[in-house]
Amino acid sequence: MINLKKLLTNREKIKEQEPLIHAITNPLAINMLANAILFQGAKAICAEHPDEMRDIVPKAKALSLNIGNITDARIKSIEISSRLANNKNIPIIIDLVGIGVSKLRYDLSLKLLGQYKYSIIKGNSSEILALSGKISNAKGVDVGCEDKISDENIEEMIKIASKLSIKYKTTVLITGATDILVKEKDYYLIKNGCEELSKITATGCMLTGLISTFLSVTDEINASLLGLLILEISAELSKKDKPYSFFVNLMDNIATIKNETIEKSAKIKKGIL
């Protein structure tokens, strides 16, 4: 059973501490991600030049990494920042965007995961299937229809995430209509959100930023749950008649959602393999 009241106290910790969150993400997501971090009461910096890493990473309380729209400079920055964060015990979430469709990103992911420690590995089910060495039907950076989480495959996806969690000594988050969060043999299923989230670019990247914010004050499971609930319940509350109105409402709700609303709306199930 999740103690939601205790979980939500981490929101106040962010406001009190105003941690600096360093996000190296793709340019499509920078504005949304930085604002989502700011809306929680933290500070955001999205520096990505390799020569800045030694100055900025040690000052951050968490590091958010995203390999979408990857460039040579960002690859170098991700490698340097990962090493610096590991040396300083700064928690890192890495979002494996597009590894199901790009050999460059797939090879980079294997290299990073082999050399550095990440607190959370995040991806949609196509990306996590690719990471596990199974067939991925990724549609660009989006999940392929054949890979979507369903009643038929959810048990297998939990097992795949568990194996990756044990292999890389990390927490694995698979996002989808039902989100799967796994740490070794323990798992959580989160059934909040709405279809409209998948129709706006970079909402998944924004989630990574939200999780990294809470990773600065709590553990991987609590940070992931809190980021998911804020984003997905905010989406449920947003008007859905027009796509960009939905986006504006979503951002407003991410900034203003109340703890009481989250408590009433959260749909979390915990299990053990």
Side-chain angles (χ1 to χ4, degrees):
M1 189 70 178
I2 305 298
N3 186 333
L4 287 172
K5 286 189 181 296
K6 185 176 180 181
L7 175 69
L8 290 163
T9 60
N10 291 297
R11 298 186 77 191
E12 193 58 36
K13 289 179 184 177
I14 294 295
K15 291 180 174 63
E16 291 171 355
Q17 298 178 24
E18 297 185 324
L20 178 65
I21 310 301
H22 184 190
I24 302 175
T25 190
N26 65 79
L28 298 171
I30 288 174
N31 181 272
M32 292 168 64
L33 182 147
N35 278 325
I37 291 170
L38 291 170
F39 291 165
Q40 306 316 304
K43 303 296 183 185
I45 186 166
C46 297
E48 65 171 46
H49 196 288
D51 292 345
E52 291 186 303
M53 295 302 105
R54 289 175 180 81
D55 294 327
I56 293 170
V57 174
K59 296 178 175 66
K61 296 300 181 183
L63 179 62
S64 175
L65 300 178
N66 179 307
I67 64 168
N69 194 239
I70 199 68
T71 64
D72 289 342
R74 206 174 305 125
I75 288 173
K76 188 174 180 181
S77 293
I78 287 172
E79 291 175 336
I80 295 170
S81 65
S82 295
R83 183 177 72 253
L84 291 168
N86 280 180
N87 289 342
K88 294 286 186 179
N89 292 315
I90 296 166
I92 314 172
I93 178 171
I94 186 164
D95 195 348
L96 303 182
V97 179
I99 69 165
V101 75
S102 163
K103 186 177 185 300
L104 171 65
R105 299 186 200 188
Y106 175 78
D107 290 343
L108 172 63
S109 298
L110 292 186
K111 178 183 177 183
L112 293 169
L113 294 173
Q115 292 183 353
Y116 307 109
K117 173 75 172 77
Y118 296 96
S119 305
I120 302 169
I121 296 171
K122 173 180 172 288
N124 62 38
S125 44
S126 289
E127 291 157 351
I128 296 302
L129 283 168
L131 179 62
S132 70
K134 297 184 180 298
I135 294 173
S136 169
N137 297 287
K139 199 166 186 178
V141 299
D142 295 323
V143 63
C145 291
E146 303 94 327
D147 301 336
K148 287 183 178 180
I149 297 168
S150 65
D151 291 341
E152 288 72 32
N153 69 8
I154 193 165
E155 186 175 340
E156 179 62 21
M157 291 304 301
I158 292 169
K159 290 178 180 177
I160 288 170
S162 176
K163 289 178 182 177
L164 290 171
S165 173
I166 293 167
K167 178 179 180 179
Y168 292 113
K169 297 180 174 61
T170 188
T171 297
V172 176
L173 172 59
I174 310 176
T175 55
T178 298
D179 303 299
I180 301 172
L181 179 64
V182 182
K183 186 166 187 178
E184 297 182 352
K185 297 294 183 180
D186 294 327
Y187 69 86
Y188 301 79
L189 304 179
I190 302 90
K191 296 191 176 183
N192 289 104
C194 61
E195 185 181 358
E196 284 76 10
L197 277 172
S198 66
K199 296 178 179 179
I200 294 177
T201 190
T203 53
C205 307
M206 184 163 59
L207 173 61
T208 306
L210 283 168
I211 293 172
S212 68
T213 302
F214 295 106
L215 199 55
S216 71
V217 296
T218 189
D219 62 42
E220 299 90 347
I221 295 296
N222 285 332
S224 298
L225 290 174
L226 200 42
L228 285 163
L229 292 176
I230 289 172
L231 176 69
E232 294 180 350
I233 296 172
S234 292
E236 292 173 0
L237 297 171
S238 301
K239 294 179 181 178
K240 301 174 178 63
D241 55 335
K242 298 177 182 177
Y244 215 81
S245 295
F246 169 77
F247 169 65
V248 173
N249 288 162
L250 173 65
M251 298 304 288
D252 283 341
N253 287 331
I254 287 171
T256 61
I257 191 168
K258 303 295 185 184
N259 286 349
E260 295 78 10
T261 303
I262 296 174
E263 286 186 65
K264 290 177 183 177
S265 304
K267 299 173 185 175
I268 305 171
K269 176 184 175 182
K270 183 179 179 181
I272 302 175
L273 286 172

